[in-house]
Amino acid sequence: MADEVVLLDFWPSMFGMRVRIALAEKGIEYEYKEEDLGNKSPLLLQMNPIHKKIPVLIHNGKPVCESLIIVQYIDEVWKDRSPLLPTDPYQRAHARFWADYVDKKVYEVSRKIWTSKGEEKEAGKKEFFEIFKTLEGELGDKPYFGAETFGFVDLSLIPFYSWFYAIETFGEFNMEAECPKIVAWAKRYLQKETVAKTLPDQKKVYEFVGQMRKRFGLE
Amino acid sequence: MAGEVLLFGFWGSPFSRRVEMALKLKGIKYKYIDEDFSNKSPSLLKYNPIHKKVPVFVHNGKHLAESLVILEYIDETWKDHPILPKDPYERANARFWAKFIDEKYLSAIWKSCTCEEKEREKAVEETSELLQFLENELKEQRYFGGETIGLVDIAANIIGYWLEIFEEAFGVELLRKEKFPKLCNWANEFVSISAIKENIPPRDKLIAFLRNRFGVGKASK
């Protein structure tokens, strides 16, 4: 029985990128459907009635929502290849903890930087550096968060790389100077074809964020 | 599976109680350390430097934080009385609801109980919408986990027990039986399970604690 896989997504979404990378890693063919978040499709509203958000993975007609939950679902269904989580329960829990940390912290603080100005922006930047310092601490001297190869935590964080140029430009700082280990990690991970092909161009994301800022009256 | 199990918790916290419920359900022996929030122990700060919160779970010297992460670890390590289904789609669904409960419910209940009088109606309505989602999700099942309790039931302990405590402590009505018959029924069934019953904080003690710590609502304004 052929699998029918559909992904409802929005190209600059870091959350959607996680799913795209996971699908690419597993070599799964799928239909990509771009959503207009200002005019959400009936399909999206039907498949994610609670949050009405992307990404949504629709597998043989059944929806799975929330990017990290989708990634784990993909890992469990297509378990015969390219594992995305470790097999050891403790390492899995450790990976889930850090992916959860990325989820809870990175998006909000990044958003604070590009949607605010003045004191609020400076406060956002301070928090951003603290969070990334914590992540650098967790990375340590390992090439990836998953140790020898990339894993769940790497996947949860790498999409933010495509937003770094936008964040550092609007935030008026230099990402490589402030978080050298993270940038080095990201560049290492980008050597993977599945990641390089999936992440949108940083300049394109920057233009998108610029348009959003105009809409918020920040430009 | 042998090995030393430690749990740092707080007697009134639904989050650390979740872990105790799972441990009790699976018959796992553990040593419990109750934390004083105003004076967190060096061990807690050492084991959870990131969030500095309870619960913190230690198994054979290896530590974990975040209740839902801990619950999945417990389920993968001790296979008796599974709390997650085997089917990947059902697992994803369980994770979805557990996460949703974590992200939205306690803060909504809290807001309804402690906000300014003029904001109360809106806050109560928002909480009501959230409760309706759970009412619908229960369908005709006895528990969110089906015939036996699972991850979502344990995560929903906030609604199963703490909600009523908040209602009483702050004088706000949120879970009306006429409006949420299934959820009320579920809550009664939930707290009568022995693994749960033995792990809920004493009602009067918790009400007194909430009133003392956070004031008796804003009704007097």
Side-chain angles (χ1 to χ4, degrees):
Chain A
M1 184 195 108
D3 273 315
E4 193 201 47
V5 182
V6 178
L7 176 63
L8 306 182
D9 203 349
F10 178 52
W11 71 267
S13 161
M14 310 96 167
F15 306 102
M17 285 176 219
R18 289 168 173 172
V19 181
R20 285 174 243 159
I21 294 171
L23 290 166
E25 276 299 314
K26 300 271 188 184
I28 299 161
E29 277 182 26
Y30 64 100
E31 184 190 349
Y32 178 90
K33 285 193 164 153
E34 185 77 20
E35 281 286 331
D36 172 2
L37 297 187
N39 185 22
K40 291 174 183 178
S41 72
L43 182 62
L44 174 58
L45 301 177
Q46 182 201 358
M47 291 288 151
N48 192 358
I50 306 262
H51 298 301
K52 305 177 175 57
K53 286 181 175 176
I54 55 91
V56 179
L57 187 81
I58 310 171
H59 183 207
N60 295 331
K62 298 203 286 190
V64 185
C65 306
E66 297 295 296
S67 61
L68 294 182
I69 292 174
I70 298 171
V71 170
Q72 289 181 84
Y73 174 79
I74 289 169
D75 202 40
E76 289 174 15
V77 172
W78 289 274
K79 56 179 184 255
D80 54 338
R81 60 195 109 145
S82 306
L84 303 171
L85 274 111
T87 43
D88 172 70
Y90 181 75
Q91 283 172 28
R92 289 162 74 81
H94 191 80
R96 284 182 180 128
F97 173 86
W98 282 100
D100 176 69
Y101 178 83
V102 172
D103 241 13
K104 282 188 165 91
K105 303 279 189 183
V106 182
Y107 177 75
E108 284 305 324
V109 79
S110 304
R111 195 170 194 279
K112 220 188 256 187
I113 293 176
W114 64 265
T115 58
S116 63
K117 37 189 183 184
E119 262 179 48
E120 212 190 318
K121 181 167 120 177
E122 289 309 305
K125 276 163 73 174
K126 186 164 175 263
E127 210 189 318
F128 182 92
F129 299 143
E130 277 167 18
I131 288 164
F132 273 88
K133 200 163 214 83
T134 302
L135 287 169
E136 286 192 332
E138 170 55 19
L139 181 62
D141 295 320
K142 306 194 295 288
Y144 303 102
F145 287 93
E148 290 311 305
T149 60
F150 77 94
F152 194 53
V153 182
D154 302 88
L155 193 150
S156 73
L157 185 60
I158 195 66
F160 291 92
Y161 178 78
S162 63
W163 281 66
F164 280 175
Y165 180 70
I167 296 166
E168 69 185 350
T169 308
F170 293 122
E172 294 169 292
F173 65 90
N174 181 278
M175 197 62 201
E176 190 150 15
E178 296 291 340
C179 316
K181 268 191 173 172
I182 289 290
V183 174
W185 158 81
K187 288 183 172 166
R188 202 176 299 131
Y189 195 6
L190 262 136
Q191 286 165 25
K192 266 205 134 263
E193 203 188 338
T194 47
V195 177
K197 276 190 166 172
T198 303
L199 294 195
D201 178 63
Q202 286 191 329
K203 292 275 163 65
K204 206 175 162 204
V205 173
Y206 168 75
E207 276 162 24
F208 164 75
V209 179
Q211 281 163 22
M212 295 289 285
R213 280 168 58 90
K214 275 202 185 85
R215 266 205 254 158
F216 293 152
L218 287 156
E219 297 276 343
Chain B
M1 184 188 178
E4 199 199 33
V5 179
L6 252 72
L7 176 66
F8 293 80
F10 173 61
W11 64 270
S13 158
F15 305 102
S16 62
R17 290 289 185 169
R18 282 172 179 172
V19 180
E20 292 192 85
M21 288 167 183
L23 292 169
K24 204 62 189 228
L25 203 64
K26 290 177 179 271
I28 302 160
K29 285 191 168 49
Y30 63 101
K31 183 178 167 200
Y32 177 77
I33 298 124
D34 204 62
E35 284 287 330
D36 173 4
F37 281 139
S38 55
N39 188 21
K40 291 176 183 176
S41 73
S43 295
L44 176 67
L45 299 176
K46 180 177 99 174
Y47 286 134
N48 192 3
I50 304 291
H51 300 301
K52 304 178 177 50
K53 287 179 177 178
V54 294
V56 171
F57 184 76
V58 187
H59 181 214
N60 289 334
K62 296 201 275 199
H63 55 96
L64 285 172
E66 293 300 296
S67 64
L68 297 184
V69 171
I70 297 168
L71 288 176
E72 289 221 36
Y73 173 78
I74 289 172
D75 205 43
E76 289 177 14
T77 307
W78 291 275
K79 311 271 192 203
D80 272 348
H81 294 277
I83 57 173
L84 268 148
K86 280 197 164 59
D87 173 70
Y89 185 76
E90 286 174 43
R91 288 163 76 82
N93 197 44
R95 285 175 178 141
F96 174 88
W97 284 99
K99 183 175 193 238
F100 183 47
I101 289 165
D102 246 15
E103 282 174 357
K104 303 282 186 189
Y105 286 72
L106 188 56
S107 55
I109 293 166
W110 182 250
K111 196 173 165 192
S112 298
C113 291
T114 59
C115 64
E116 299 281 327
E117 200 58 49
K118 60 181 195 269
E119 292 168 359
R120 193 176 302 272
E121 200 185 322
K122 184 165 180 259
V124 169
E125 205 190 300
E126 281 170 8
T127 305
S128 200
E129 277 170 24
L130 289 171
L131 292 172
Q132 192 62 51
F133 287 134
L134 280 181
E135 173 83 8
N136 297 342
E137 180 59 16
L138 210 40
K139 302 184 188 82
E140 300 309 319
Q141 295 175 140
R142 196 172 175 196
Y143 304 110
F144 291 100
E147 280 306 301
T148 54
I149 63 165
L151 182 76
V152 182
D153 300 272
I154 297 173
N157 66 350
I158 297 170
I159 294 107
Y161 183 70
W162 273 259
L163 175 52
E164 207 233 326
I165 304 283
F166 273 94
E167 286 178 315
E168 171 112 18
F170 296 101
V172 181
E173 200 181 352
L174 294 166
L175 189 65
R176 290 174 209 265
K177 201 176 166 107
E178 328 74 76
K179 206 166 178 222
F180 307 108
K182 290 188 210 163
L183 207 49
C184 286
N185 210 43
W186 166 82
N188 287 334
E189 297 250 11
F190 178 71
V191 295
S192 55
I193 299 167
S194 62
I196 307 302
K197 198 160 50 178
E198 291 165 32
N199 282 300
I200 43 180
R203 190 192 157 80
D204 292 339
K205 188 180 175 191
L206 190 54
I207 289 171
F209 169 80
L210 287 170
R211 283 181 173 160
N212 277 336
R213 180 125 182 224
F214 303 107
V216 187
K218 301 275 172 80
S220 51
K221 269 203 174 180

